[in-house]
C-alpha cells in the first residue's frame, strides 16, 4: 500500500473512534461560556487522546487530567523603537474578546470599555503584523492633517518592554449594506458613489506615498466602506494577491499603483 493510502485509512479509523468523545465535548461546550478574555482564547483547555490496541481492537483512550498547552507565538520585537512608541500595553487577561474575525489572528475586542481590533502575532502572521506596526507608526509620526482613513495604533498586547503578542488598532464599523468593497455587487451602486470611493482611495494612497509608506497588498478586499459611506484602507501587512499585484512588485509603489488600477476597474470608473 502507498503511504498516502495508509495515512488515509488511519485518519478515517481515528475519526470514527473519536466521534463519541467529540460528541461529548460538543455537548459540554454548549453549556460552557465562551472564552471571555484574550488569554483564555489563546490558551484553550486541551484534551489529550491516545490510540491503543486493546484485546486486538483499536480504541481511543482519554488521558486523565486536562491541561493547557500554550500556543507558540513569535511575538513582535520592538526593542529598537520601544521608547518611541508611547503606546499603552495591555496584558491578554485585560482584553475582552467580542468576536473572532479570523481564528485567533484578528479579533474584535474591548479594552477598558473601548472597542478595538486585535491582531495577534503568531508564527504565521508575525512578519506581516510587524510590518503593519512599522507602517502605522510612520504614518502617526507624519501628523497628517486631516488624518487618513486608516486604522490607528491604540496599544500593544503584552506587559514586557520589547516583546509583545500583537497590536491593538481602531475598530472600523463597516456599513452592513456595503462592507468590504470586494463583497459589494458593484452594479447595484450608483456611479456617483463609486467615483467618490475611487477618489478617496486614490487620495489615501498618494498621501501614504508622500510620507514614504507603501500600502502593500492593494486590493478591494482591503478596503472598507463605513457607515458614513466613506472608503477606508486597511491591512498594512504587505504582500501581494494574484490578479491585483504582481509578485515582483510586492510592497512597492508600483504594486500599489497596480492595485489602484484594478480597484478603478472594479469600480467601473
Amino acid at each position: 500500500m502507498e503511504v498516502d493510502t495508509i495515512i488515509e485509512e488511519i485518519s478515517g479509523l481515528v475519526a470514527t473512534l473519536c466521534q463519541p468523545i467529540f460528541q461529548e465535548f460538543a455537548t459540554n461546550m454548549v453549556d460552557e461560556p465562551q472564552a471571555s478574555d484574550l488569554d483564555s482564547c489563546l490558551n484553550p483547555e486541551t484534551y489529550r487522546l491516545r490510540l491503543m490496541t486493546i484485546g486486538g481492537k483499536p480504541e481511543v483512550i482519554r488521558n486523565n487530567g486536562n491541561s493547557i498547552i500554550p500556543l507558540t507565538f513569535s511575538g513582535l520585537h520592538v526593542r529598537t523603537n520601544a521608547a518611541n512608541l508611547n503606546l499603552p500595553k495591555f496584558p491578554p487577561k485585560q482584553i475582552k474578546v467580542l468576536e473572532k474575525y479570523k481564528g485567533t489572528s484578528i479579533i474584535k475586542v474591548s479594552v477598558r470599555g473601548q472597542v478595538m481590533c486585535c491582531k495577534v502575532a503568531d508564527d504565521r502572521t508575525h512578519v506581516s503584523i510587524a510590518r503593519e506596526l512599522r507602517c502605522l507608526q510612520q504614518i502617526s509620526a507624519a501628523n497628517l492633517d486631516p488624518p487618513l482613513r486608516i486604522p490607528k495604533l491604540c496599544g500593544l498586547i503584552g506587559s514586557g518592554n520589547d516583546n509583545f503578542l500583537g497590536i491593538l488598532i481602531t475598530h472600523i464599523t463597516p456599513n452592513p449594506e456595503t462592507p468590504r468593497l470586494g463583497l459589494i455587487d458593484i452594479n447595484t451602486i450608483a456611479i456617483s458613489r463609486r467615483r467618490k470611493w475611487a477618489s478617496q482611495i486614490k487620495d489615501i494612497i498618494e498621501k501614504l506615498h508622500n510620507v514614504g509608506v507603501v500600502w502593500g497588498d492593494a486590493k478591494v478586499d482591503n478596503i472598507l466602506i463605513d457607515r458614513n459611506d466613506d472608503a477606508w484602507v486597511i491591512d498594512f501587512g504587505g504582500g501581494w494577491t494574484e490578479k491585483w499585484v504582481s509578485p515582483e512588485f510586492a510592497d512597492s509603489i508600483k504594486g500599489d499603483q497596480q492595485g489602484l488600477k484594478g480597484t478603478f476597474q472594479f469600480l467601473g470608473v
Side-chain angles (χ1 to χ4, degrees):
M1 284 182 133
E2 296 182 355
V3 173
D4 290 344
T5 303
I6 296 173
I7 293 176
E8 185 176 341
E9 287 189 2
I10 294 175
S11 299
L13 173 64
V14 171
T16 300
L17 294 172
C18 286
Q19 281 304 312
I21 298 176
F22 292 162
Q23 290 173 1
E24 178 187 345
F25 290 163
T27 301
N28 292 337
M29 288 178 65
V30 171
D31 300 326
E32 292 179 359
Q34 296 297 311
S36 59
D37 62 74
L38 186 62
D39 184 72
S40 300
C41 180
L42 299 180
N43 300 293
E45 188 174 18
T46 305
Y47 297 86
R48 298 172 182 268
L49 306 177
R50 181 170 46 176
L51 177 63
M52 300 181 64
T53 300
I54 301 176
K57 295 181 180 180
E59 292 189 26
V60 170
I61 305 298
R62 277 180 60 176
N63 285 1
N64 292 329
N66 304 328
S67 62
I68 293 179
I69 303 177
L71 301 179
T72 302
F73 294 99
S74 297
L76 300 174
H77 297 277
V78 292
R79 182 185 301 275
T80 56
N81 54 11
N84 299 322
L85 286 176
N86 293 320
L87 290 170
K89 306 174 184 66
F90 300 98
K93 286 185 178 295
Q94 294 182 9
I95 301 173
K96 182 179 180 180
V97 173
L98 300 179
E99 183 180 353
K100 297 179 183 178
Y101 290 145
K102 193 175 181 181
T104 55
S105 297
I106 303 177
I107 306 172
K108 180 181 178 181
V109 300
S110 174
V111 183
R112 294 180 180 174
Q114 182 178 353
V115 176
M116 301 180 188
C117 181
C118 159
K119 290 195 171 185
V120 177
D122 58 24
D123 287 340
R124 182 178 56 84
T125 64
H126 72 280
V127 173
S128 64
I129 294 180
R131 182 188 189 274
E132 182 152 23
L133 173 62
R134 292 193 301 271
C135 288
L136 295 182
Q137 281 181 267
Q138 189 170 342
I139 296 166
S140 177
N143 292 316
L144 295 175
D145 187 22
L148 300 182
R149 280 185 299 278
I150 61 170
K152 308 299 188 296
L153 278 171
C154 299
L156 298 170
I157 305 168
S159 55
N161 293 321
D162 54 42
N163 192 43
F164 304 92
L165 289 177
I167 61 176
L168 294 165
I169 59 178
T170 49
H171 180 269
I172 303 162
T173 302
N175 185 328
E177 296 181 359
T178 54
R180 286 180 184 265
L181 192 57
L183 298 177
I184 298 174
D185 181 356
I186 208 65
N187 294 320
T188 66
I189 304 298
I191 188 65
S192 59
R193 294 175 69 194
R194 287 185 267 155
R195 285 173 177 161
K196 183 185 79 168
W197 296 340
S199 176
Q200 290 177 334
I201 297 163
K202 181 175 183 289
D203 181 65
I204 292 172
I205 293 176
E206 287 179 347
K207 288 179 178 176
L208 287 173
H209 292 171
N210 288 341
V211 297
V213 174
V214 171
W215 178 15
D217 194 9
K219 58 184 179 182
V220 293
D221 284 339
N222 287 335
I223 298 169
L224 294 183
I225 306 300
D226 68 12
R227 293 181 181 274
N228 295 321
D229 205 44
D230 290 322
W232 289 67
V233 166
I234 64 170
D235 192 352
F236 286 80
W240 63 279
T241 298
E242 188 177 359
K243 297 182 180 179
W244 291 99
V245 177
S246 301
E248 63 269 25
F249 296 134
D251 301 339
S252 71
I253 291 178
K254 178 67 174 178
D256 281 0
Q257 292 170 341
Q258 274 191 332
L260 180 62
K261 181 179 179 180
T263 299
F264 280 11
Q265 291 174 343
F266 176 84
L267 291 171
V269 298

